[in-house]
Amino acid sequence: MFEYSERTEQLRKDLLDFMDAHVYPAESVYEQQMRESGDPHFQPPVMEELKAEARRRGLWNLFHPHPSSGVALTNLEYAPLAEIMGRSPHIAPEACNCNAPDTGNMEVLELFGTEEHKEKYLKPLLEGTMASAFAMTEPAVASSDATNIALSMVREGEGDDAVYVLNGRKWFASNALHKNCKVMIVMGKTDPSAETHRQQSMMVVPIDAPGVTVMRGLPVYGYQDREGHAEIDFQDVRVPAKDVLKGEGEGFAISQARLGPGRIHHCMRVVGMAERALDLLCERALSRVTFGKPVAENANIQDWIAEARIEIDMVRLLTLKAADMMDTVGNKEARTEIAAIKVAAPQMALKVLDRAVQVHGAGGVTDDFPLARTWAGVRTLRLADGPDEVHKRAIARQELRKHRNAGGR
């Protein structure tokens, strides 16, 4: 149904070779270097080696749609590459400078940043020498409704001397504990009296700005991800007015622009995670013998394998459809398809991962295999990119709107 371009096919071939020759062999090295460091947020040397090799091979900034900074792939062209990187989710995306939240932040800075922002932050982000965080979610409000975001941004002064004073608390600011993190994009409320979707703004804030305190790293199902998910306190943080992105009141609009492509990236990586889980399930089922025969000969295991193949391929096609629509008719027209894959992709992957764990037995819940950690990450995505309930609500409203507009026919 979806034919990949000649350029995409070549990039797929190159990326698969990179994964086989460098990424998969580096996984055990990565784990060893992390253990030996004693620091859950250590930047292991093997990661920098992988980044250099990816760049040498031209597998760098593949996500970035702008020809001045990347290879300018469409969403449909990038989708199969994101899937491949998803097979080693803790290494491959960063190795190719295609990891969240840097990808979304780079896109925001490209579209809405000033020339100063681009020189100071976007350029090193594109070079892979800097990391960034995105601070939106708050512990005190239901952040699945972005209009609830309450961090206070109060303007003081006028003209070139104008500043915004930030006060409030954020959490789950991913990447904030990365050793190379230097800057955040922060969303807050600049005008509580404005129309609902014009109350919020986004600002560029250095992570070491006076008044910014990174309080702790939040675990994800007991895991401390290397990039970290930080709780951050803002106490009288003074941000120059020139660091407001796009303009006051544009925060909600920017968040919608940022989250569309990122949802495609996450979903295609999730398909890759499910594919690798299925590979591991099959290998384990063929190599283990119980009650006198290989596990793979049990009917229920064969059912699991067949169902996994069907479900993975269905979600892949739905994701490619969403990517194609984003390219051809735009994010707004593709909003139902984007919402649908955000529900379908993690649910599918969790099912495949859970069955792979079951086939691995007790080993499946340990760190000897990548299944448990990957499951934790995928389960978190059902919240990180908006809860299923919000996406289903959006889909249902679109369906009902069609029927209302048809006059009940």
Side-chain angles (χ1 to χ4, degrees):
M1 185 180 297
F2 297 101
E3 294 185 3
Y4 299 135
S5 66
E6 184 177 335
R7 177 173 62 162
T8 301
E9 287 292 356
Q10 185 59 53
L11 285 169
R12 285 185 73 250
K13 179 180 177 182
D14 294 344
L15 187 55
L16 287 167
D17 182 68
F18 175 59
M19 298 289 288
D20 288 338
H22 295 277
V23 174
Y24 298 136
E27 289 179 337
S28 60
V29 179
Y30 173 94
E31 294 297 338
Q32 181 181 352
Q33 290 179 351
M34 290 299 297
R35 282 195 303 271
E36 291 176 349
S37 74
D39 178 359
H41 309 296
F42 179 67
Q43 183 70 357
V46 70
M47 180 59 74
E48 298 304 321
E49 295 169 11
L50 289 170
K51 288 163 69 173
E53 179 63 22
R55 192 160 194 175
R56 187 187 69 80
R57 289 170 173 248
L59 300 171
W60 192 254
N61 290 336
L62 297 172
F63 78 95
H64 208 48
H66 301 278
S68 61
S69 309
V71 292
L73 299 174
T74 65
N75 286 298
L76 184 60
E77 289 176 317
Y78 178 64
L81 307 180
E83 176 182 338
I84 293 169
M85 287 184 276
R87 295 178 64 90
S88 185
H90 301 293
I91 295 181
E94 184 174 350
C96 296
N97 213 38
C98 293
N99 55 298
D102 286 337
T103 50
N105 287 347
M106 283 187 264
E107 181 75 356
V108 167
L109 291 171
E110 184 81 52
L111 293 174
F112 307 116
T114 65
E115 289 305 313
E116 180 182 351
H117 293 149
K118 292 177 182 179
E119 182 64 27
K120 190 173 181 179
Y121 300 119
L122 178 59
K123 185 175 179 180
L125 283 168
L126 290 166
E127 293 289 322
T129 59
M130 180 185 290
S132 63
F134 184 63
M136 178 176 172
T137 304
E138 298 179 4
V141 299
S143 303
S144 57
D145 178 357
T147 62
N148 284 336
I149 298 304
L151 180 136
S152 173
M153 297 175 160
V154 177
R155 185 182 176 103
E156 289 186 358
E158 297 296 333
D160 293 341
D161 296 327
V163 299
Y164 286 84
V165 182
L166 278 53
N167 282 283
R169 183 75 57 88
K170 296 289 184 181
W171 71 345
F172 286 99
S174 297
N175 239 25
L177 294 168
H178 194 293
K179 296 300 183 184
N180 298 333
C181 186
K182 304 296 182 187
V183 67
M184 301 177 286
I185 293 178
V186 181
M187 183 169 175
K189 188 163 288 188
T190 43
D191 186 357
S193 65
E195 184 269 324
T196 301
H197 295 94
R198 296 285 303 173
Q199 295 179 5
Q200 301 82 17
S201 300
M202 286 193 187
M203 302 181 186
V204 176
V205 182
I207 200 164
D208 61 354
V212 173
T213 303
V214 178
M215 302 179 66
R216 59 171 176 153
L218 292 152
V220 175
Y221 281 100
Y223 291 101
Q224 278 286 352
D225 288 334
R226 181 170 55 84
E227 69 275 15
H229 308 286
E231 183 170 3
I232 303 175
D233 190 52
F234 295 78
Q235 288 287 334
D236 295 328
V237 180
R238 302 180 72 81
V239 178
K242 63 183 177 61
D243 288 331
V244 176
L245 291 165
K246 195 179 180 183
E248 185 174 307
E250 297 289 345
F252 192 87
I254 294 173
S255 71
Q256 296 306 299
R258 184 187 189 279
L259 292 175
R263 287 168 178 166
I264 290 292
H265 301 175
H266 277 313
C267 290
M268 287 312 300
R269 283 193 292 267
V270 165
V271 173
M273 295 175 208
E275 283 284 8
R276 191 168 185 195
L278 179 57
D279 286 348
L280 292 169
L281 187 162
C282 291
E283 291 166 7
R284 186 77 167 187
L286 288 167
S287 66
R288 288 303 222 226
V289 175
T290 60
F291 306 106
K293 63 180 181 180
V295 171
E297 292 186 11
N298 291 297
N300 70 308
I301 302 301
Q302 293 182 8
D303 278 349
W304 290 356
I305 293 169
E307 289 173 2
R309 172 47 54 216
I310 294 166
E311 291 162 0
I312 291 171
D313 287 352
M314 286 194 301
V315 169
R316 178 185 291 110
L317 284 172
L318 180 58
T319 308
L320 291 174
K321 178 190 177 185
D324 184 56
M325 288 186 66
M326 290 170 70
D327 293 334
T328 55
V329 297
N331 293 1
K332 185 176 181 180
E333 291 299 319
R335 59 188 179 276
T336 296
E337 286 71 19
I338 292 172
I341 60 173
K342 286 308 300 173
V343 175
Q347 288 189 2
M348 173 277 296
L350 287 171
K351 184 177 178 181
V352 177
L353 282 159
D354 186 70
R355 288 176 167 178
V357 168
Q358 196 71 11
V359 171
H360 280 71
V365 301
T366 72
D367 289 342
D368 287 3
F369 301 93
L371 298 169
R373 190 181 191 103
T374 302
W375 187 94
V378 174
R379 181 60 184 86
T380 306
L381 281 180
R382 291 182 61 195
L383 298 169
D385 276 344
D388 293 356
E389 293 76 13
V390 171
H391 298 306
K392 289 179 180 179
R393 177 174 179 262
I395 295 168
R397 285 184 165 187
Q398 283 296 109
E399 289 299 307
L400 291 168
R401 187 175 293 115
K402 287 190 295 186
H403 287 271
R404 290 193 183 101
N405 292 341
R409 290 192 301 275

